[in-house]
Amino acid sequence: MRPEILFPLFKPVTALKGVGPRLGQLIERLAGKYLVDLCWHLPTGLIDRRFRPTVAAAPDGAVATLTVTVDEHIPSANRRLPYKVLCSDDTGTVSLVFFNAKADYLEKMLPLGATRVVSGQIGHYGAEIQMPHPDHIVAPDKADELPTVEATYPLTTGLTSKPLHRAVRGALDQTPELAEWQNVPWLEKQAWPSWRAALFAAHEPESQAALEPDDPARRRLAYDELLANQLALAMIRNAARRRAGRAIVGDGRLRAALSKALPYELTEGQRDVLHEIQADMAQPQRMLRLLQGDVGSGKTVVALTAMLAAVESGAQAAFMVPTEILARQHLETLTNLCRDLPLRIQILTGRTKGRPRLALLGDLAEGRIDILIGTHALFTEDVIFKDLALTVIDEQHRFGVHQRLNLGDKGIAADILVMTATPIPRTLSLTVYGDMDISLLHGKPPGRQPVDTRSMPLSRLDQVVAGVQRAVNGGARAFWVCPLVEENEQLDLAAAEERHGTLARIFGHDQVGLVHGRMKAKEKDQAMAAFVAGETKILVATTVIEVGVDVPEASIMAVEHAERFGLAQLHQLRGRVGRGGQQAHCLLLYAEPLGETARARIAIMRETEDGFRIAEEDLRLRGTGELLGTRQSGFPAFRLADPLAHQDLMEVARDDARLILETDPDLEGPRGPALRALLYLFERDAAVKLLRSG
Ligand code: ADP
Ligand code: MG
């Protein structure tokens, strides 16, 4: 249960005075539902009102505070013209300009002949000096009530700064003093303020420097958030480990048979990671391991080998993937490689329904299936294994964190191997996995030539089509990926269908296939199968082929509107080719004019195929926030911490979290209550529930 002291912070924003349903909705969209979300909504700029020039010296565009005498009111002649109030000092005249003004209000605020202090932005229009809609108008004896420096916040359409300011104020006023959760010597060494003081300081910047990520108040808040994140991850991991695992060894017979059946030798990298994985599985604790290997590095066979170890020991394995296409493909690959092995492999997806599904569930529960491949459908409650010992999760970045944890419950003590091709920079992997063990799969199977990557404007489409035509005539196969239109599936679809139409007219209808997310599963399979078999030579696709698809014979990847894709995505797409022995080509077609970021992305793609380098560059180009497509990738979105600027703090938070749990695994010691409050403050409630006395 959330501690009572935090209750005020988790009231809805509409609980604030002056925030009705309409304003509440805007604030919710901008910052979040609760008062605490307003606290995390930090200013991004400031207005300095200390600049007090004379009227004549007030520069165009500057924010200035002027002391003037009211000379004349000029009401608007019609609704479209502004109401003007002319004011002056010894040096000149300034027009205060109001649209849709109420005359009586202005007459009260700015009586003729009175002196007023006005503050706002200056505009020069020819010889006229204007101040449109002053932010503040006060009498001289109230001048010291003017804020000297005002924070400015990110806004959203329909929400102006004044009501937001008031709401943030209101939220801050509700913040309680909380017991210190940070390690006090560390805190003192950093010379950081207390949590509440830091929050106020962050909302009341005195200077530009206070808006920077290295400001002490901001660093303190960032650290709090990172600590909550690391602590929660470490607790989840502890809880998983606490359940007794089992030692999975196996007698090696299936693995030996596989190794005989494989048409190639494992690479050194594959052998290394298998060594780590198998050693970990042989431990009595539960395995929680991330296997990172670039696109095409050969993770599938590593997973298969690990699963065989589980089967040898008399148990079952699950292989989970994000898409139906990938599930089918893995079924095919695994079935092929294990043709002569005594092994029962099955598939379960959303399409498995009715009686076949019931039969499959029966087989699974009675142990007549050794390896079950599937999509999200594996999560369904009635999917019960007889004895699940290992769960492999492929292309993890497509799944959320919660789903990953759920599957662990299917096998009471099942080991978990998470695989990803999206190379995650170290700092980020910490935020997602905390201290999860990591195996890095280095290198690629031999014989791969670098992909020849070129970029060209879409205006040269004809040339590109002609080039692809030559290659296809020479026996090549090509993927043709269509633009991503603002994540709008309907539009993606239209673009893909249109391109399919034009290419089909050029190449012949039986030569060009089409796959997209909205197609019936059966049609999707057929289109994929026809391309794999070489019946169609060109496969037009939306990004459904982005992850995992393996067609070694394909050697051309054309991407339309490459400027709309992220770096990680482009890297994934390019990874679809260059898997066979032949020279592969990647054509990045872009619309002009090319923006700066898009230009940089394409340049990096041409420069390197190193996934880690690409991931780091991606992080740098995107800056903070929407890393690797934050939401869908299951990355936590940080409100206060900046994964780049606060990189150093991330490591400290991880060590701190580890130390805390080593000495006080259930947070029952002196720092315990404060740390629990921290977890609730950052909405890591799920982690608290894992504590013995959660
Ligand atoms: P990813 O790591 O992207 O999942 P895959 O497992 O799909 O990569 O493997 C990519 C391709 O490399 C597949 O066609 C696979 O058969 C092949 N492959 C994997 N390991 C080796 C190896 N040791 N030698 C040669 N080819 C390999
Ligand atoms: Mg793969």
Side-chain angles (χ1 to χ4, degrees):
M1 269 271 287
R2 181 183 292 144
E4 219 161 302
I5 191 163
L6 295 180
F7 285 3
L9 289 176
F10 286 89
K11 282 194 280 194
V13 291
T14 44
L16 288 168
K17 237 178 71 192
V19 180
R22 211 191 64 85
L23 183 56
Q25 219 170 32
L26 288 170
I27 293 179
E28 197 171 309
R29 180 162 6 117
L30 177 69
K33 253 204 186 85
Y34 306 119
L35 296 195
V36 72
D37 295 312
L38 276 168
C39 294
W40 303 153
H41 192 67
L42 297 187
T44 46
L46 52 80
I47 299 175
D48 192 340
R49 299 199 184 279
R50 288 172 294 195
F51 181 45
R52 311 189 70 141
T54 58
V55 170
D60 187 27
V63 172
T65 302
L66 309 173
T67 305
V68 290
T69 308
V70 181
D71 298 328
E72 189 185 355
H73 280 242
I74 310 176
S76 46
N78 69 53
R79 291 182 59 98
R80 267 169 304 155
L81 290 176
Y83 188 118
K84 288 189 179 180
V85 180
L86 304 188
C87 304
S88 62
D89 65 6
D90 296 343
T91 66
T93 296
V94 58
S95 318
L96 310 185
V97 178
F98 302 89
F99 284 87
N100 303 317
K102 289 211 175 66
D104 46 345
Y105 169 78
L106 291 178
E107 277 158 17
K108 206 175 101 210
M109 292 293 290
L110 296 157
L112 272 184
T115 303
R116 286 291 178 265
V117 178
V118 296
S119 185
Q121 191 171 29
I122 301 290
H124 288 194
Y125 297 91
E128 189 182 1
I129 300 176
Q130 294 188 351
M131 182 184 286
H133 292 271
D135 303 322
H136 300 276
I137 302 174
V138 295
D141 57 326
K142 298 261 170 62
D144 43 333
E145 286 174 18
L146 273 184
T148 46
V149 179
E150 259 178 288
T152 56
Y153 291 94
L155 298 170
T156 181
T157 344
L159 183 60
T160 51
S161 65
K162 267 199 183 143
L164 179 63
H165 247 268
R166 229 172 302 142
V168 171
R169 263 296 115 193
L172 287 176
D173 287 341
Q174 304 264 338
T175 53
E177 284 289 355
L178 296 174
E180 185 55 67
W181 47 73
Q182 288 198 29
N183 180 16
V184 172
W186 153 259
L187 193 69
E188 281 169 359
K189 201 164 136 219
Q190 302 298 315
W192 284 345
S194 73
W195 171 73
R196 189 163 187 269
L199 202 55
F200 273 79
H203 282 281
E204 291 163 359
E206 288 283 321
S207 65
Q208 204 61 38
L211 298 167
E212 301 295 329
D214 58 355
D215 169 72
R218 292 213 173 207
R219 270 175 75 80
R220 144 107 219 192
L221 295 174
Y223 187 78
D224 290 340
E225 186 173 37
L226 292 171
L227 182 60
N229 168 256
Q230 288 301 302
L231 197 56
L233 286 169
M235 285 160 64
I236 289 168
R237 177 185 148 101
N238 269 9
R241 294 239 173 204
R242 200 180 275 171
R243 289 186 235 167
R246 65 199 275 184
I248 295 164
V249 182
D251 56 13
R253 86 201 125 83
L254 292 173
R255 281 170 287 177
L258 173 70
S259 138
K260 243 189 235 142
L262 273 186
Y264 46 73
E265 299 261 310
L266 292 186
T267 64
E268 199 179 317
Q270 286 169 322
R271 286 200 306 268
D272 288 347
V273 294
L274 266 173
H275 193 75
E276 286 173 15
I277 293 167
Q278 290 170 353
D280 202 355
M281 288 171 72
Q283 298 296 314
Q285 291 91 5
R286 201 169 189 211
M287 174 170 83
L288 265 178
R289 184 170 284 274
L290 173 70
L291 173 60
Q292 262 189 19
D294 208 349
V295 223
S297 57
K299 293 183 293 295
T300 315
V301 70
V302 171
L304 173 60
T305 309
M307 290 193 287
L308 291 184
V311 177
E312 281 167 16
S313 70
Q316 297 164 298
F319 195 3
M320 201 177 75
V321 298
T323 65
E324 173 97 32
I325 288 185
L326 211 49
R328 301 266 152 212
Q329 180 189 292
H330 277 335
L331 177 68
E332 175 117 7
T333 311
L334 266 52
T335 312
N336 242 326
L337 288 175
C338 301
R339 230 176 356 228
D340 300 324
L341 276 61
L343 199 67
R344 294 152 301 182
I345 308 178
Q346 273 292 353
I347 182 168
L348 175 69
T349 71
R351 268 161 73 190
T352 324
K353 291 197 176 109
R355 206 169 300 163
R357 183 168 189 277
L358 284 181
L360 186 140
L361 291 184
D363 286 347
L364 191 66
E366 315 224 322
R368 286 190 295 269
I369 293 173
D370 301 311
I371 294 179
L372 184 63
I373 302 173
T375 55
H376 294 83
L378 290 185
F379 290 128
T380 325
E381 248 167 62
D382 59 351
V383 177
I384 295 161
F385 290 80
K386 174 161 186 263
D387 182 14
L388 179 64
L390 172 67
T391 300
V392 180
I393 304 177
D394 197 11
E395 305 296 348
Q396 164 284 324
H397 65 284
R398 281 300 180 101
F399 294 106
V401 179
H402 300 294
Q403 291 172 349
R404 264 193 337 250
L405 290 172
N406 271 349
L407 195 75
D409 293 339
K410 294 228 173 274
I412 308 288
D415 285 345
I416 296 184
L417 178 66
V418 177
M419 308 205 292
T420 182
T422 305
I424 307 169
R426 174 78 188 140
T427 42
L428 271 188
S429 80
L430 267 180
T431 70
V432 189
Y433 304 106
D435 245 356
M436 194 174 203
D437 298 305
I438 297 182
S439 290
L440 292 178
L441 176 46
H442 293 291
K444 288 197 180 167
R448 302 271 169 91
Q449 296 175 40
V451 178
D452 170 44
T453 303
R454 296 170 191 222
S455 61
M456 57 203 79
L458 269 166
S459 52
R460 283 167 58 192
L461 189 68
D462 288 351
Q463 258 171 287
V464 173
V465 171
V468 170
Q469 194 156 26
R470 272 195 304 278
V472 166
N473 288 341
R477 260 178 263 171
F479 288 109
W480 191 291
V481 175
C482 281
L484 198 66
V485 187
E486 313 236 322
E487 308 272 327
N488 180 330
E489 214 180 337
Q490 212 67 50
L491 292 177
D492 287 1
L493 212 77
E497 278 170 350
E498 195 186 313
R499 181 57 68 216
H500 175 249
T502 32
L503 291 178
R505 273 194 295 284
I506 298 171
F507 288 86
H509 283 268
D510 53 345
Q511 299 285 298
V512 187
L514 173 68
V515 276
H516 58 67
R518 282 289 181 85
M519 260 158 88
K520 287 222 182 68
K522 229 198 196 115
E523 298 167 357
K524 242 192 280 187
D525 290 352
Q526 278 166 0
M528 278 308 296
F531 185 63
V532 169
E535 290 155 20
T536 50
K537 303 289 190 279
I538 299 180
L539 187 63
V540 177
T542 55
T543 46
V544 289
I545 61 154
E546 180 194 331
V547 286
V549 170
D550 183 38
V551 184
E553 296 82 6
S555 62
I556 299 175
M557 167 63 66
V559 184
E560 264 187 68
H561 284 289
E563 78 279 1
R564 293 187 191 159
F565 292 85
L567 252 186
Q569 252 180 330
L570 289 176
H571 179 61
Q572 278 280 344
L573 286 171
R574 180 171 58 187
R576 296 307 114 223
V577 296
R579 302 182 148 228
Q582 77 277 48
Q583 172 66 57
H585 305 272
C586 175
L587 307 167
L588 303 174
L589 300 168
Y590 58 85
E592 290 169 303
L594 203 49
E596 205 177 309
T597 313
R599 184 181 304 278
R601 270 193 224 127
I602 289 177
I604 291 159
M605 284 297 292
R606 300 192 45 188
E607 212 176 289
T608 181
E609 278 188 69
D610 176 347
F612 281 90
R613 165 93 209 283
I614 288 178
E616 301 275 358
E617 292 289 341
D618 195 25
L619 188 60
R620 203 174 52 75
L621 282 178
R622 294 208 202 193
T624 57
E626 33 119 26
L627 307 148
L628 310 167
T630 311
R631 234 165 2 112
Q632 65 152 9
S633 59
F635 283 108
F638 287 112
R639 306 288 303 268
L640 305 166
D642 175 337
L644 274 187
H646 299 130
Q647 199 159 336
D648 58 324
L649 295 181
M650 188 104 71
E651 309 256 347
V652 183
R654 186 215 30 203
D655 294 344
D656 199 2
R658 194 190 312 182
L659 207 66
I660 290 168
L661 293 181
E662 260 167 33
T663 46
D664 183 15
D666 283 293
L667 302 185
E668 285 168 332
R671 235 171 122 190
L675 285 164
R676 284 169 191 243
L678 172 71
L679 290 166
Y680 280 111
L681 189 61
F682 285 99
E683 298 177 64
R684 300 301 202 272
D685 304 26
V688 186
K689 295 210 176 77
L690 295 173
L691 296 172
R692 268 189 240 274
S693 52

Short mmCIF file of all heavy atoms in Angstrom, two decimals, residues 400-435:
data_model
loop_
_atom_site.label_atom_id
_atom_site.label_comp_id
_atom_site.label_asym_id
_atom_site.label_seq_id
_atom_site.Cartn_x
_atom_site.Cartn_y
_atom_site.Cartn_z
N GLY A 400 7.03 -5.69 -24.01
CA GLY A 400 7.12 -4.87 -22.80
C GLY A 400 7.74 -5.65 -21.66
O GLY A 400 7.84 -6.87 -21.70
N VAL A 401 8.14 -4.91 -20.67
CA VAL A 401 8.80 -5.51 -19.52
C VAL A 401 7.89 -6.48 -18.78
O VAL A 401 8.30 -7.55 -18.34
CB VAL A 401 9.25 -4.42 -18.53
CG1 VAL A 401 9.92 -5.02 -17.32
CG2 VAL A 401 10.16 -3.44 -19.22
N HIS A 402 6.62 -6.12 -18.67
CA HIS A 402 5.70 -6.94 -17.88
C HIS A 402 5.50 -8.30 -18.48
O HIS A 402 5.47 -9.30 -17.81
CB HIS A 402 4.37 -6.23 -17.74
CG HIS A 402 4.53 -4.93 -17.06
ND1 HIS A 402 4.93 -4.86 -15.74
CD2 HIS A 402 4.41 -3.67 -17.49
CE1 HIS A 402 5.03 -3.60 -15.42
NE2 HIS A 402 4.72 -2.85 -16.45
N GLN A 403 5.36 -8.29 -19.81
CA GLN A 403 5.17 -9.56 -20.48
C GLN A 403 6.33 -10.49 -20.23
O GLN A 403 6.16 -11.68 -20.02
CB GLN A 403 5.00 -9.34 -21.97
CG GLN A 403 3.69 -8.63 -22.25
CD GLN A 403 3.58 -8.21 -23.69
OE1 GLN A 403 4.55 -8.26 -24.43
NE2 GLN A 403 2.40 -7.80 -24.08
N ARG A 404 7.51 -9.91 -20.23
CA ARG A 404 8.69 -10.73 -19.99
C ARG A 404 8.61 -11.41 -18.65
O ARG A 404 8.95 -12.56 -18.50
CB ARG A 404 9.93 -9.84 -20.01
CG ARG A 404 10.59 -9.84 -21.32
CD ARG A 404 11.96 -9.23 -21.30
NE ARG A 404 12.27 -8.32 -20.24
CZ ARG A 404 12.43 -7.03 -20.41
NH1 ARG A 404 12.28 -6.49 -21.57
NH2 ARG A 404 12.74 -6.28 -19.39
N LEU A 405 8.14 -10.68 -17.67
CA LEU A 405 8.11 -11.23 -16.32
C LEU A 405 7.04 -12.30 -16.20
O LEU A 405 7.22 -13.30 -15.56
CB LEU A 405 7.85 -10.12 -15.32
CG LEU A 405 9.04 -9.19 -15.18
CD1 LEU A 405 8.68 -7.99 -14.33
CD2 LEU A 405 10.23 -9.92 -14.61
N ASN A 406 5.90 -12.05 -16.85
CA ASN A 406 4.81 -13.01 -16.78
C ASN A 406 5.21 -14.40 -17.22
O ASN A 406 4.87 -15.37 -16.59
CB ASN A 406 3.69 -12.57 -17.72
CG ASN A 406 2.73 -11.67 -17.01
OD1 ASN A 406 2.82 -11.56 -15.79
ND2 ASN A 406 1.86 -11.03 -17.74
N LEU A 407 5.89 -14.45 -18.34
CA LEU A 407 6.18 -15.74 -18.90
C LEU A 407 7.00 -16.56 -17.92
O LEU A 407 6.89 -17.77 -17.88
CB LEU A 407 6.92 -15.60 -20.22
CG LEU A 407 6.90 -16.91 -20.98
CD1 LEU A 407 5.53 -17.15 -21.57
CD2 LEU A 407 7.96 -16.94 -22.02
N GLY A 408 7.80 -15.88 -17.13
CA GLY A 408 8.60 -16.57 -16.15
C GLY A 408 7.76 -17.40 -15.20
O GLY A 408 8.20 -18.40 -14.67
N ASP A 409 6.51 -16.99 -15.01
CA ASP A 409 5.65 -17.72 -14.09
C ASP A 409 5.17 -19.05 -14.63
O ASP A 409 4.68 -19.89 -13.90
CB ASP A 409 4.42 -16.87 -13.74
CG ASP A 409 4.83 -15.65 -12.94
OD1 ASP A 409 5.94 -15.70 -12.35
OD2 ASP A 409 4.08 -14.68 -12.91
N LYS A 410 5.27 -19.21 -15.94
CA LYS A 410 4.77 -20.45 -16.52
C LYS A 410 5.59 -21.64 -16.08
O LYS A 410 5.07 -22.72 -15.86
CB LYS A 410 4.75 -20.36 -18.04
CG LYS A 410 3.76 -19.34 -18.53
CD LYS A 410 2.90 -19.90 -19.62
CE LYS A 410 1.79 -18.95 -20.00
NZ LYS A 410 0.61 -19.13 -19.14
N GLY A 411 6.87 -21.45 -16.01
CA GLY A 411 7.72 -22.50 -15.45
C GLY A 411 8.12 -21.96 -14.10
O GLY A 411 8.68 -20.89 -14.03
N ILE A 412 7.82 -22.71 -13.05
CA ILE A 412 8.05 -22.18 -11.72
C ILE A 412 9.48 -21.68 -11.58
O ILE A 412 9.75 -20.64 -11.02
CB ILE A 412 7.80 -23.26 -10.64
CG1 ILE A 412 6.43 -23.88 -10.84
CG2 ILE A 412 7.95 -22.68 -9.25
CD1 ILE A 412 5.28 -23.04 -10.49
N ALA A 413 10.39 -22.46 -12.12
CA ALA A 413 11.79 -22.08 -11.95
C ALA A 413 12.50 -21.97 -13.29
O ALA A 413 13.69 -22.15 -13.38
CB ALA A 413 12.48 -23.11 -11.08
N ALA A 414 11.72 -21.66 -14.32
CA ALA A 414 12.31 -21.68 -15.66
C ALA A 414 13.40 -20.64 -15.82
O ALA A 414 13.28 -19.52 -15.35
CB ALA A 414 11.23 -21.45 -16.71
N ASP A 415 14.45 -21.06 -16.50
CA ASP A 415 15.50 -20.12 -16.87
C ASP A 415 14.97 -19.22 -17.98
O ASP A 415 14.11 -19.63 -18.75
CB ASP A 415 16.72 -20.88 -17.39
CG ASP A 415 17.49 -21.54 -16.25
OD1 ASP A 415 17.25 -21.16 -15.09
OD2 ASP A 415 18.31 -22.42 -16.53
N ILE A 416 15.50 -18.02 -18.03
CA ILE A 416 15.06 -17.11 -19.08
C ILE A 416 16.25 -16.59 -19.87
O ILE A 416 17.24 -16.13 -19.30
CB ILE A 416 14.28 -15.91 -18.49
CG1 ILE A 416 13.00 -16.43 -17.82
CG2 ILE A 416 13.93 -14.89 -19.57
CD1 ILE A 416 12.11 -15.35 -17.29
N LEU A 417 16.14 -16.72 -21.17
CA LEU A 417 17.16 -16.18 -22.06
C LEU A 417 16.47 -15.18 -22.98
O LEU A 417 15.57 -15.54 -23.73
CB LEU A 417 17.80 -17.30 -22.89
CG LEU A 417 18.85 -16.85 -23.90
CD1 LEU A 417 20.07 -16.27 -23.20
CD2 LEU A 417 19.25 -17.99 -24.82
N VAL A 418 16.87 -13.94 -22.87
CA VAL A 418 16.28 -12.89 -23.69
C VAL A 418 17.27 -12.55 -24.80
O VAL A 418 18.45 -12.36 -24.54
CB VAL A 418 16.03 -11.64 -22.82
CG1 VAL A 418 15.49 -10.51 -23.67
CG2 VAL A 418 15.08 -11.95 -21.69
N MET A 419 16.78 -12.51 -26.03
CA MET A 419 17.71 -12.22 -27.13
C MET A 419 17.32 -10.91 -27.80
O MET A 419 16.14 -10.65 -28.01
CB MET A 419 17.66 -13.32 -28.18
CG MET A 419 17.84 -14.71 -27.60
SD MET A 419 18.47 -15.87 -28.81
CE MET A 419 17.09 -16.01 -29.91
N THR A 420 18.31 -10.14 -28.12
CA THR A 420 17.99 -8.92 -28.86
C THR A 420 19.05 -8.61 -29.89
O THR A 420 20.23 -8.85 -29.68
CB THR A 420 17.79 -7.71 -27.93
OG1 THR A 420 17.44 -6.59 -28.72
CG2 THR A 420 19.04 -7.39 -27.15
N ALA A 421 18.59 -8.09 -31.01
CA ALA A 421 19.52 -7.68 -32.06
C ALA A 421 19.67 -6.18 -32.01
O ALA A 421 20.56 -5.62 -32.62
CB ALA A 421 19.00 -8.09 -33.42
N THR A 422 18.76 -5.52 -31.31
CA THR A 422 18.89 -4.09 -31.19
C THR A 422 19.98 -3.85 -30.18
O THR A 422 19.80 -4.09 -29.01
CB THR A 422 17.60 -3.46 -30.67
OG1 THR A 422 16.55 -3.86 -31.53
CG2 THR A 422 17.70 -1.95 -30.66
N PRO A 423 21.12 -3.43 -30.63
CA PRO A 423 22.20 -3.28 -29.69
C PRO A 423 21.85 -2.12 -28.77
O PRO A 423 21.55 -1.03 -29.23
CB PRO A 423 23.40 -2.94 -30.56
CG PRO A 423 22.90 -2.88 -31.96
CD PRO A 423 21.42 -2.92 -31.96
N ILE A 424 21.83 -2.41 -27.51
CA ILE A 424 21.45 -1.39 -26.56
C ILE A 424 22.71 -0.86 -25.91
O ILE A 424 23.49 -1.62 -25.37
CB ILE A 424 20.55 -1.97 -25.47
CG1 ILE A 424 19.38 -2.70 -26.11
CG2 ILE A 424 20.05 -0.89 -24.54
CD1 ILE A 424 18.59 -3.51 -25.14
N PRO A 425 22.92 0.44 -25.98
CA PRO A 425 24.08 0.99 -25.30
C PRO A 425 24.03 0.60 -23.83
O PRO A 425 22.96 0.46 -23.25
CB PRO A 425 23.92 2.50 -25.47
CG PRO A 425 22.98 2.67 -26.60
CD PRO A 425 22.11 1.47 -26.64
N ARG A 426 25.21 0.44 -23.27
CA ARG A 426 25.34 -0.04 -21.91
C ARG A 426 24.44 0.73 -20.92
O ARG A 426 23.75 0.15 -20.10
CB ARG A 426 26.81 0.09 -21.50
CG ARG A 426 27.10 -0.23 -20.07
CD ARG A 426 27.12 -1.72 -19.85
NE ARG A 426 27.22 -2.02 -18.42
CZ ARG A 426 26.55 -2.99 -17.83
NH1 ARG A 426 25.74 -3.75 -18.53
NH2 ARG A 426 26.69 -3.21 -16.55
N THR A 427 24.46 2.04 -21.02
CA THR A 427 23.69 2.83 -20.06
C THR A 427 22.22 2.48 -20.14
O THR A 427 21.53 2.42 -19.14
CB THR A 427 23.81 4.32 -20.38
OG1 THR A 427 23.70 4.49 -21.78
CG2 THR A 427 25.09 4.87 -19.89
N LEU A 428 21.75 2.22 -21.37
CA LEU A 428 20.34 1.92 -21.52
C LEU A 428 20.02 0.53 -21.04
O LEU A 428 18.99 0.28 -20.44
CB LEU A 428 19.95 2.05 -22.98
CG LEU A 428 19.50 3.42 -23.39
CD1 LEU A 428 18.96 3.35 -24.79
CD2 LEU A 428 18.44 3.92 -22.44
N SER A 429 20.91 -0.40 -21.31
CA SER A 429 20.61 -1.76 -20.90
C SER A 429 20.49 -1.81 -19.38
O SER A 429 19.71 -2.57 -18.83
CB SER A 429 21.65 -2.75 -21.43
OG SER A 429 22.80 -2.75 -20.64
N LEU A 430 21.23 -0.96 -18.71
CA LEU A 430 21.11 -0.89 -17.25
C LEU A 430 19.72 -0.46 -16.84
O LEU A 430 19.15 -0.97 -15.89
CB LEU A 430 22.11 0.13 -16.70
CG LEU A 430 23.45 -0.42 -16.26
CD1 LEU A 430 24.31 0.71 -15.74
CD2 LEU A 430 23.27 -1.48 -15.21
N THR A 431 19.16 0.50 -17.56
CA THR A 431 17.84 0.98 -17.15
C THR A 431 16.76 -0.06 -17.41
O THR A 431 15.75 -0.08 -16.76
CB THR A 431 17.43 2.27 -17.90
OG1 THR A 431 17.19 1.93 -19.26
CG2 THR A 431 18.48 3.32 -17.80
N VAL A 432 16.99 -0.92 -18.37
CA VAL A 432 15.97 -1.91 -18.69
C VAL A 432 16.16 -3.19 -17.90
O VAL A 432 15.21 -3.78 -17.41
CB VAL A 432 15.99 -2.27 -20.19
CG1 VAL A 432 14.78 -3.12 -20.51
CG2 VAL A 432 15.98 -1.02 -21.01
N TYR A 433 17.39 -3.63 -17.79
CA TYR A 433 17.64 -4.94 -17.20
C TYR A 433 18.30 -4.88 -15.85
O TYR A 433 18.48 -5.90 -15.22
CB TYR A 433 18.51 -5.77 -18.13
CG TYR A 433 17.93 -5.90 -19.49
CD1 TYR A 433 18.45 -5.21 -20.57
CD2 TYR A 433 16.80 -6.68 -19.69
CE1 TYR A 433 17.88 -5.30 -21.82
CE2 TYR A 433 16.23 -6.78 -20.93
CZ TYR A 433 16.77 -6.08 -21.99
OH TYR A 433 16.20 -6.17 -23.22
N GLY A 434 18.68 -3.67 -15.44
CA GLY A 434 19.43 -3.60 -14.22
C GLY A 434 20.64 -4.50 -14.38
O GLY A 434 21.32 -4.46 -15.40
N ASP A 435 20.79 -5.36 -13.42
CA ASP A 435 21.99 -6.16 -13.38
C ASP A 435 21.89 -7.48 -14.12
O ASP A 435 22.64 -8.38 -13.86
CB ASP A 435 22.33 -6.42 -11.92
CG ASP A 435 23.63 -5.76 -11.58
OD1 ASP A 435 24.24 -5.18 -12.49
OD2 ASP A 435 24.03 -5.83 -10.41
#
